[in-house]
Amino acid sequence: MDAGEVRHWNADVNGVSIHVAERGPEDGPAVLLIHGFPELWLSWRHQMAALAARGFRALAPDLRGYGDSSVPSDPAAYTIFHIVGDIVALLDHLQVFVVGHDWGAQVAWHLCLFRPDRVRAAAVLGIPYYARQAHPIMEVFAAFGDGFYINQFQEPGRAEAAFAQYDVATVLKKFYSIEIDELTAPPGVEIIDFLEASPSPLPWLSEEELGQYAEKFRKSGFTGPLNYYRMWETNWRLLAPWNEAKITVPVKFIAGDKDIGVQSFGVEKYIKSGEFKSTVPDLEVAVIEGHHFLQQEQAERVNSEIISYLVRFTSQEASS
């Protein structure tokens, strides 16, 4: 099947405009692809082509604060309720498959948590689900010190000022080049100064593609994306009704064996333990070769993992 061209449209939802890139037949099973930090819909370009070629309707929005979507100025406009609310409004009356990476993984998990009726199954990359606990989350992060990237991102304007010392493409490449174990800078050093950009083009990202990302971030800036992190404590408070809640949607979790998100903070042990499956009972786990930006670095393998999982559900429905 011809995958067709990428179509672009904007939807006015929840007081903001959300840009959506779409590929594949409009009557195909819908797959919502949710990007992370610092990314755009473009990070799903390989998956969109593969899904469309298999007859799926691939929909990849720029989340609020990113790319060609609205960039609200108030940090309070970036709670998990706002972000998931945008996604639910986009879906209209569809029931979809959902795929998320990095911050998009958090959005996907919480979409499954809040509205399991809207999700047929999910594939989540890089960030596992942790049930909300009674202990304040920022107290946990505080233990990592001021050099920890999430702690540096909390103060409005601090990270933006540090990022501004570099051109936008360099800022992005510093994040895309990450291969260290922990995102923690030495005392007195900003995380963006600590990170090193690869001196040569990344094997999974052409200079032209990097330029496409940079063009959008020059326009929208980094404050919107950073505000997601500034809502950690607010989100923890808002999620009190879901304390220790489980995910009931079927999920395939895909992680890179060299991903800092897997190698740090006991995440690998959690993934391999029974604790993860106890909070996501209908869970499959695939750990494959690769780093954090897995859907771009290992596009064909990730495509295979996602599509082989999703077609089980479409095949079941076709035979029933």
Side-chain angles (χ1 to χ4, degrees):
M1 181 181 295
D2 182 6
E5 297 296 320
V6 177
R7 306 179 293 277
H8 296 269
W9 47 276
N10 281 67
D12 293 327
V13 298
N14 301 331
V16 296
S17 176
I18 299 295
H19 165 250
V20 180
E22 178 179 349
R23 192 167 185 179
E26 293 185 10
D27 60 351
V31 182
L32 184 70
L33 301 146
I34 311 174
H35 69 80
F37 172 88
E39 298 179 277
L40 302 165
W41 75 267
L42 188 64
S43 68
W44 297 111
R45 59 197 179 280
H46 305 298
Q47 287 68 45
M48 293 177 73
L51 286 163
R54 289 296 297 267
F56 290 94
R57 179 189 181 192
L59 301 141
D62 287 333
L63 295 178
R64 65 166 61 198
Y66 284 86
D68 290 322
S69 293
S70 295
V71 184
S73 58
D74 185 356
Y78 293 87
T79 73
I80 197 69
F81 285 173
H82 289 84
I83 302 160
V84 174
D86 294 344
I87 298 301
V88 172
L90 269 182
L91 299 183
D92 194 18
H93 298 294
L94 293 173
Q95 189 186 45
V96 301
F97 297 112
V98 61
V99 181
H101 170 253
D102 187 79
W103 250 106
Q106 297 279 17
V107 178
W109 286 124
H110 287 89
L111 175 62
C112 293
L113 182 66
F114 300 153
R115 296 300 304 271
D117 59 309
R118 303 300 289 272
V119 183
R120 298 163 77 179
V124 179
L125 280 64
I127 307 295
Y129 173 71
Y130 288 89
R132 194 259 194 197
Q133 301 295 312
H135 196 68
I137 187 66
M138 286 310 298
E139 289 185 14
V140 177
F141 293 150
F144 298 123
D146 181 70
F148 185 50
Y149 76 109
I150 290 178
N151 295 335
Q152 291 196 1
F153 288 177
Q154 295 306 302
E155 181 185 339
R158 175 179 176 178
E160 290 93 326
F163 289 10
Q165 303 304 308
Y166 303 91
D167 65 83
V168 171
T170 298
V171 171
L172 295 172
K173 197 170 186 182
K174 279 172 170 272
F175 282 107
Y176 298 160
S177 301
I178 290 172
E179 294 185 5
I180 57 178
D181 289 340
E182 295 184 5
L183 275 176
T184 303
V189 178
E190 295 298 311
I191 192 69
I192 199 66
D193 297 331
F194 177 61
L195 298 177
E196 295 183 4
S198 171
S200 56
L202 296 167
W204 50 267
L205 187 71
S206 70
E207 290 300 300
E208 180 183 355
E209 288 166 339
L210 178 62
Q212 289 178 270
Y213 281 102
E215 177 187 356
K216 296 302 181 183
F217 277 94
R218 285 190 199 99
K219 181 184 74 128
S220 62
F222 288 98
T223 296
L226 290 166
N227 281 339
Y228 283 57
Y229 294 91
R230 291 166 185 156
M231 288 295 102
W232 268 114
E233 186 72 10
T234 298
N235 287 338
W236 175 81
R237 292 197 300 270
L238 291 172
L239 289 168
W242 290 271
N243 205 51
E244 299 185 358
K246 299 179 186 296
I247 298 292
T248 59
V249 172
V251 180
K252 182 166 192 174
F253 179 74
I254 307 166
D257 60 353
K258 303 178 187 68
D259 186 342
I260 57 166
V262 173
Q263 295 299 320
S264 305
F265 317 120
V267 173
E268 184 175 22
K269 180 180 178 181
Y270 173 74
I271 290 170
K272 293 180 177 179
S273 73
E275 188 179 359
F276 187 18
K277 189 165 178 60
S278 73
T279 57
V280 189
D282 195 348
L283 175 71
E284 293 184 22
V285 175
V287 179
I288 66 176
E289 182 181 356
H291 299 86
H292 184 63
F293 295 95
L294 198 61
Q295 78 273 35
Q296 298 178 80
E297 180 189 3
Q298 298 287 357
E300 289 189 10
R301 177 67 189 277
V302 170
N303 292 348
S304 176
E305 294 285 351
I306 292 173
I307 291 172
S308 65
Y309 185 64
L310 299 188
V311 295
R312 289 191 216 165
F313 298 90
T314 55
S315 299
Q316 289 170 5
E317 291 165 8
S319 61
S320 62

